[in-house]
Every structure is written in C-alpha cells, then in structure tokens.
Amino acid sequence: MDRPPGMMDVAREAGVSHITVSRVVNGHPSVRPETRARVEAAIQKLGYRRNSVARALKSRRSSTIGVVIVGSELFELPRILLGVETAAKQAGYWVSLASRQGESTTGDLMETLQRLTDQAVEAIAVVADRPDTVETLAGLSLGVPVAVVMSGNAPDPELSFVEVDQELGARLAVRHLLDLGHRDIAHLTGALRTFDARARVEGWQAELTAAAAQGPLLEGDFGAESGFRLAEALCDADGGLPTAVFAGNDQMAMGVLAAFARRGVKVPHDVSVVGFDDMKGAGYLVPALTTVCQDFAHLGRSAIELLVRRLDGEPAQRQKLTPRLVVRDSTAAPRADA
C-alpha cells in the first residue's frame, strides 16, 4: 500500500462496514465485544491512525489552541510557552505552535493565522513584541477568539490582551534609584520598535521628570552585546559617567556589568545598575542584579485563561499584570563625591 491505511481498509480487513469501524474508533457502546476485538486487531495490523485533522474540520471541534510567535526580541519565550501549555492542558486543550521570527510582513502573519484556522483551532494566542502586529490583528475576522500577549492595546473590542505593565516596571526601577539619592540615571533601551522598550522609556522619563532628575537615553537591541557597547560609550562620553544605569533588560545589564568590569568601574560603588525581567541566574551575577521581575509563566497562563473564558461566551478582556522590584547587590546610594 503506497498510502496510509484508511477506515475502508480496516473495514475490509475486519470484514465489517466502515460505519462499524467508525463506531469502534469513537468508542461507541453499541459494538459487540467480538466485533470490536476484530476491528482493533485490523487497526493494529494495518497501522491505521485516525485523521484527527479531518475530523476536526468536520466537527469544528479540535480541542486545540493555536499559538503564534511574532518577533525576535522575545528573550523569555520558553517561560511564556510553559505557562501557555500548562494552562491549556489543565483546560483540556492541546497547543499548536507557529512562529514568524524577524521582519515578518502582514502577509506572513495572515498566512500563519490562516493555516491555524484551516486546522480548526478553537482560539489563537499571539505572542508579539511589536505594535504593528496588533495593528494588523485589529479588525480581522478570523472566526475564533484571539488574545494578544506582551504587546500594546488596539481599539478592537474583539481582541483580548494580557501584558505585564512595562511602564510601571520602569517606574519601580527608577524610583528605587531616586530613593537611593541618584539624580543622573541613564537608560539603555532595547529596540524602540518594540512595545516593551517604548513603555519602559515612558516610565523612566516620567519618574525623572517628576523628580527633576536627568540622564542620557541610548538605544540598543535587548542583547548583551548592545549593553556592553552602550556601557563603553558611557565610559567614553564627555562629562563622566552617570551615577546609575537602568538597562532595558537583564541581558543588556549583563553586558553593562562586563563592560564596567573591563573598564575598572565598580558596581555599585561607582555606578548602580538595574535590569528588567529577573531572568534565571540574575541573582548569581557579580554583583547580584537588582531587577524588575515579570512572571512570564503567569503571562502565558493568563492568555489561555482569557481565551477559555471567551470560548465560554464571555466578552474580550484586557488584563495588566503587576511587576515587582527585586533589590539585590548592584544598587546602592551614590558616592558622596559623585
């Protein structure tokens, strides 16, 4: 046989009708035990596997939630997906994963979404790091509930949103430095094409303005190498170093610590450093990194919970999760002569 065995092949092998095979496969109670045994033996012999995709298309019930990943600055994606898969499993759903990394176009996203709906997924979670993804989704009619994870809001009442309050997280970081006495606080941002980087800049600027403080803004790309490069630029700048650095994320903060160590800048004696994310191992950097913790697993779980509520008939909702500051050894009051 040059094709996978089908239900008719099983029926011929067992000497029954294809309806009887269907009843056995779907656990129907009206099949006699000896007939069921014969059909199961034929299934085993032929290696028949039920075409669950075709069945889902017919019933429009696949027990599957699609997850689309869009963007290249999603450094904590594994923890988000862990939360997604855990919550989906608890709710009785499988997860079908698709991704569009790098510079995806609107057409790329539409193709990915269409492939998932063609597989009869019952809902879709879109993990996106850029506002233009949300703009593409706004106004689309996919026929299934959609929840956006980690990106900004769009004026579409049919879209659910769940995100960590990035602006608040930045405010917590900067307020901590201000409370220590810092008034010159640099912000080394991630790529400003992303929602998270923009929101963190807004929080940093708002706290500085409220405190009549200041500091330079330098753009990186959320990677450790860009943190290293920007920290070296601070070391080489006229006017001396700021007393504190708020890095766009923990990866950039790692680069900052490495650059300062190479240049002989002591943290936190000479410059305090704050990161963002509380990545695994942040407490074991030298010095242990003060950072903003966002619970990525909770973020993933919340997205699935929103979708399940939508499937139960509730309206779309918007949810912001609250980050928290984790104070460690990389921050201290500025030197008296700073």
Side-chain angles (χ1 to χ4, degrees):
M1 185 179 294
D2 57 1
R3 59 174 175 77
M7 196 173 291
M8 293 298 295
D9 300 308
V10 174
R12 280 192 293 268
E13 178 68 26
V16 299
S17 70
H18 77 279
I19 294 176
T20 299
V21 176
S22 177
R23 287 174 177 167
V24 171
V25 168
N26 290 291
H28 200 283
S30 66
V31 181
R32 290 181 298 181
E34 59 270 22
T35 303
R36 183 182 302 277
R38 197 160 69 249
V39 170
E40 289 174 348
I43 288 173
Q44 182 69 26
K45 177 180 178 180
L46 297 177
Y48 167 75
R49 298 181 66 184
R50 180 169 57 173
N51 189 337
S52 58
V53 173
R55 183 169 176 266
L57 290 173
K58 183 177 180 180
S59 66
R60 300 305 299 174
R61 184 79 173 85
S62 65
S63 297
T64 302
I65 292 176
V67 178
V68 180
I69 302 162
V70 185
S72 55
E73 276 82 31
L74 301 169
F75 284 93
E76 294 296 337
L77 186 59
R79 285 199 278 174
I80 297 174
L81 293 180
L82 176 62
V84 164
E85 188 169 19
T86 300
K89 185 176 181 180
Q90 289 173 348
Y93 290 89
W94 297 100
V95 170
S96 180
L97 183 64
S99 65
R100 285 293 180 184
Q101 301 296 312
E103 299 297 329
S104 298
T105 66
T106 298
D108 291 334
L109 177 59
M110 291 298 298
E111 179 185 359
T112 302
L113 294 170
Q114 188 63 56
R115 285 182 178 274
L116 287 173
T117 56
D118 286 348
Q119 295 172 25
V121 297
E122 297 186 39
I124 297 175
V126 180
V127 185
D129 64 358
R130 304 182 189 184
D132 55 3
T133 300
V134 182
E135 294 167 6
T136 300
L137 292 170
L140 287 182
S141 179
L142 296 173
V144 298
V146 176
V148 180
V149 187
M150 288 190 69
S151 199
N153 291 341
D156 187 336
E158 294 303 312
L159 288 177
S160 296
F161 286 88
V162 58
E163 60 185 299
V164 176
D165 192 332
Q166 303 295 323
E167 183 176 346
L168 173 60
R171 283 177 171 271
L172 292 174
V174 178
R175 196 176 303 153
H176 167 65
L177 293 169
L178 291 169
D179 289 345
L180 289 172
H182 295 277
R183 290 298 179 272
D184 186 3
I185 303 172
H187 183 27
L188 311 185
T189 99
L192 289 175
R193 63 177 174 270
T194 66
F195 169 78
D196 288 358
R198 296 182 191 180
R200 292 171 197 174
V201 168
E202 290 175 4
W204 166 78
Q205 187 62 67
E207 287 295 319
L208 289 189
T209 300
Q214 62 181 1
L217 175 71
L218 301 176
E219 182 181 359
D221 62 9
F222 283 125
E225 183 180 352
S226 75
F228 185 95
R229 172 175 48 81
L230 295 178
E232 289 212 311
L234 288 176
C235 292
D236 293 334
D238 294 335
L241 283 166
T243 64
V245 171
F246 169 37
N249 68 350
D250 291 349
Q251 292 278 342
M252 293 186 71
M254 286 174 53
V256 171
L257 293 176
F260 283 168
R262 173 175 287 191
R263 293 297 190 98
V265 177
K266 297 179 182 179
V267 178
H269 180 263
D270 299 323
V271 181
S272 288
V273 177
V274 180
F276 204 111
D277 284 345
D278 197 25
M279 70 179 187
K280 188 174 182 179
Y284 296 94
L285 296 172
V286 181
L289 183 64
T290 295
T291 186
V292 177
C293 177
Q294 44 182 344
D295 190 337
F296 291 101
H298 186 196
L299 189 68
R301 290 195 304 270
S302 297
I304 297 302
E305 289 164 2
L306 287 179
L307 289 173
V308 170
R309 289 201 289 270
R310 283 283 280 146
L311 290 168
D312 288 339
E314 295 186 21
Q317 299 176 36
R318 296 167 185 250
Q319 185 175 0
K320 271 193 177 181
L321 308 182
T322 301
R324 62 184 177 87
L325 182 70
V326 180
V327 179
R328 297 192 180 103
D329 298 336
S330 66
T331 52
R335 289 169 19 199
D337 60 344

